[in-house]
Structure formats: structure tokens, C-alpha cells
Amino acid sequence: MIDFRYHIVSIVAIFFALGAGVVLGAGPLKGTGSELVASQAEKDRQQLADTRAKLDETKTLDKYRDDYVAKVTAGLTDGKLSGKKIAVVTMPSADGDLANTLTEELEKAGGQVTTRVALDNKMFDAGQRQLVEQIATELVTTDVDYPADSTTYQRAGLILARAIAAKEEGKSADGESTKIISGLTGAKLMSLKPSQFKDRAGLVVVLAAKPPTPVPDNSSYNDSVDFIEGLDQGSNGVVVAGTPVTAQDGGLLKALRSDSDATKIVSSVDVADIPAGQATVVFSLAEQASGKAGQYGAIDAKNGVAPSDVQTKDN
């Protein structure tokens, strides 16, 4: 970045020359002011060029890193999710392209993505809490038991899980699934593709959105974390995937990782936008299927870069 102090020096020099009675373009100091300005401008241009060169170099190295991971480690996730059915749930305003990429990676690993659910902003609007509570009450099924101390959004997560997922493999979508989905979509709390699906998933990937501007307080995600806990309680495991910014203050992963109850059961990956992170999402799902959870990635990730059973040495 060009330092503003250089411009101050230039301006002060010009006024000093004028105050001494030297008219630019004439007298013994002819050209001094303009030469100083031109010299400083040239320094500024060079500094900007150097900064651009460093940025280009960083981008080139980042591309090399991602290409290396994608090509040299290709095949490491093959078969890791064989026979596993997975639902992908995107939080409001989550990146659709990243959701597509993750879906492809899950399928490359042998998993079957049964459905993709897109949650609407309305789902977590404070003004809609009563509606969410009403729907969770009306749509509860006989095979779902709400814990006595459950919150509105834990119940909402459990209800969605009953529609699209199950703790056991091999569960099919049924009339109750249809009723729940109709209720949630009819209230415009979510949408899903395909609108009709055959199998309920055992595992769930939740894709976090980058924080809005201005950055909210971490407590604003309490309902979202409760919802994700409900999804986990109604399925065989949940991995929340996000980018590094989501693991910093104002992000969903930051809030999730600050909740000790949530981290006991839900996994998270904060580098899902790069190939290594996408592979870690796969490994984390496999770990969830075995009953374990962990927090992985680059930003305050308690359990390191990936599950321990896929690392060649300790972190």
C-alpha cells in the first residue's frame, strides 16, 4: 500500500518553496518542487509494482499448492464413503458453487448425495421464532422424542433430520418425510432438490456462509448451533464445512467451536474451499460414522489438520 506520508512530504516541500519566495519554473531553485513530486511519484509507482508482484507470486504459489494437493493426493478419499448416503444442507446465503464442489467430492469418495436442502434466511429470523416453534410442534412424529430441555431450534433440527436423515442406514423416505418437507417448504423456511427423493441419509454436511457485514456477535449463531445439534441428534453424524473466515469472530464455525456441548458431537472443517479441506470433509464424515467428532482446519482448529487416522504423524 502506498504510504500517505510521502504525499505529505511532497506537499510540504512545495509550500516551503513558495514561502521562500521561489516561483516554480524560475530562479536558482528552478524545478526543485516539481522534481521532488516527480521523484516521489516514481517511488510510489515502484512500491505499487512491487506489491502487485508479491501478490501475483502469492496467487501462483496458492495455485501450485492446491494443484499439488489435488493431483498428488488424488485417490486418498476413494471409497472412504462407500455405501454412505449423505444430505447436504446449506445455511442461508452459503456459496452455491462451493456446495456443488463438495457434492462432487463426496460422490468421488463413493458417497451418494440423496438431497440438498437450502435453508432460507427466514429460518433464523428472530421474528419467525414463534413460527418455527409452531411448525416443530405440529410436525413432530411418533418416532421423534424431543429432549425435555431442548430448544426451539434443536427441535427444528430434529424435525428436518427426521425428514431427510436417520441414525440407521437403509431408511427410506416415507409419508412422514413428505409431511415435514411440505410443512417446512410451505412456510418458506427452506427449499430442496430433488423435491422427491427415495432414501434418507445417514450423514449430513452443513455448509456455512461467510459472515455478513457488519460482522455479527458470535452469540447471534446460537440458534444455528442448536439447529445443527438437532440435525446431529437425528442422524448418524454432522460435519459443518466452511472457509477460514467462518472460523473467526463473527462466523458460524467460531460460534460452534465455542460451544463445548456441540463440539462433543459435531465436527467442523474450516478450509472447505481448498482441495485439502474438501478431503478433510470426507475424512471427517467417515469419522462421524464411527461415532467420533473433531474440529479441523487452519483457524484455531482444536484437533489439527485432519482426523488422526489419516495423518502420517502427530500434529
Side-chain angles (χ1 to χ4, degrees):
M1 183 179 294
I2 298 173
D3 198 326
F4 187 67
R5 70 177 183 274
Y6 293 132
H7 297 296
I8 296 296
V9 171
S10 301
I11 294 170
V12 169
I14 293 172
F15 278 101
F16 179 81
L18 290 174
V22 179
V23 179
L24 293 179
L29 298 180
K30 180 179 179 180
T32 300
S34 60
E35 289 171 2
L36 180 59
V37 172
S39 174
Q40 186 56 57
E42 178 57 31
K43 290 180 181 178
D44 290 345
R45 281 194 292 271
Q46 185 59 50
Q47 187 177 9
L48 181 59
D50 291 345
T51 301
R52 285 174 174 167
K54 289 179 181 178
L55 181 60
D56 289 341
E57 181 182 8
T58 299
K59 288 181 177 178
T60 299
L61 291 174
D62 285 346
K63 184 178 185 302
Y64 169 80
R65 175 201 63 197
D66 290 347
D67 286 348
Y68 184 92
V69 171
K71 294 174 182 177
V72 176
T73 64
L76 287 182
T77 61
D78 288 357
K80 289 292 184 181
L81 298 176
S82 180
K84 302 298 183 185
K85 293 179 173 60
I86 306 151
V88 175
V89 177
T90 57
M91 297 299 286
S93 303
D95 186 341
D97 290 337
L98 182 52
N100 293 337
T101 299
L102 282 174
T103 297
E104 292 172 5
E105 292 303 315
L106 299 176
E107 292 175 341
K108 285 180 184 178
Q112 177 190 343
V113 176
T114 57
T115 189
R116 283 176 52 171
V117 176
L119 300 178
D120 192 87
N121 282 305
K122 186 178 178 182
M123 173 69 82
F124 301 104
D125 185 334
Q128 302 299 322
R129 179 180 293 274
Q130 186 174 352
L131 171 64
V132 174
E133 176 64 39
Q134 178 183 344
I135 287 178
T137 300
E138 291 178 351
L139 298 180
V140 66
T141 59
T142 56
D143 56 352
V144 172
D145 292 321
Y146 288 149
D149 60 349
S150 62
T151 68
T152 293
Y153 281 90
Q154 285 173 334
R155 293 192 286 273
L158 273 164
I159 279 294
L160 177 59
R162 172 57 183 84
I164 65 172
K167 285 186 172 293
E168 307 84 15
E169 294 288 345
K171 292 287 186 177
S172 300
D174 55 14
E176 299 288 12
S177 299
T178 301
K179 182 180 76 170
I180 292 169
I181 290 170
S182 295
L184 292 171
T185 56
K188 302 190 182 323
L189 297 176
M190 67 173 218
S191 61
L192 79 165
K193 295 189 223 178
S195 57
Q196 295 184 342
F197 55 93
K198 179 181 177 182
D199 299 310
R200 289 153 64 190
L203 299 167
V204 181
V205 172
V206 176
L207 180 58
K210 71 177 184 178
T213 302
V215 174
D217 185 83
N218 293 334
S219 63
S220 67
Y221 292 103
N222 288 347
D223 289 341
S224 298
V225 172
D226 284 351
F227 185 87
I228 291 167
E229 286 186 279
L231 281 176
D232 187 277
Q233 291 161 358
S235 68
N236 199 30
V238 172
V239 174
V240 184
T243 57
V245 70
T246 66
Q248 299 172 20
D249 282 336
L252 173 58
L253 264 64
K254 177 71 172 182
L256 174 74
R257 291 172 174 180
S258 299
D259 187 319
S260 59
D261 290 333
T263 54
K264 289 175 184 176
I265 59 174
V266 177
S267 297
S268 67
V269 178
D270 63 36
V271 284
D273 53 338
I274 61 175
Q278 290 149 20
T280 302
V281 171
V282 171
F283 297 139
S284 298
L285 279 171
E287 183 181 56
Q288 277 281 328
S290 70
K292 299 177 182 178
Q295 316 309 314
Y296 307 111
I299 310 296
D300 297 328
K302 176 183 175 182
N303 302 108
V305 296
S308 58
D309 62 352
V310 297
Q311 297 184 53
T312 58
K313 59 182 181 180
D314 292 338
N315 290 308

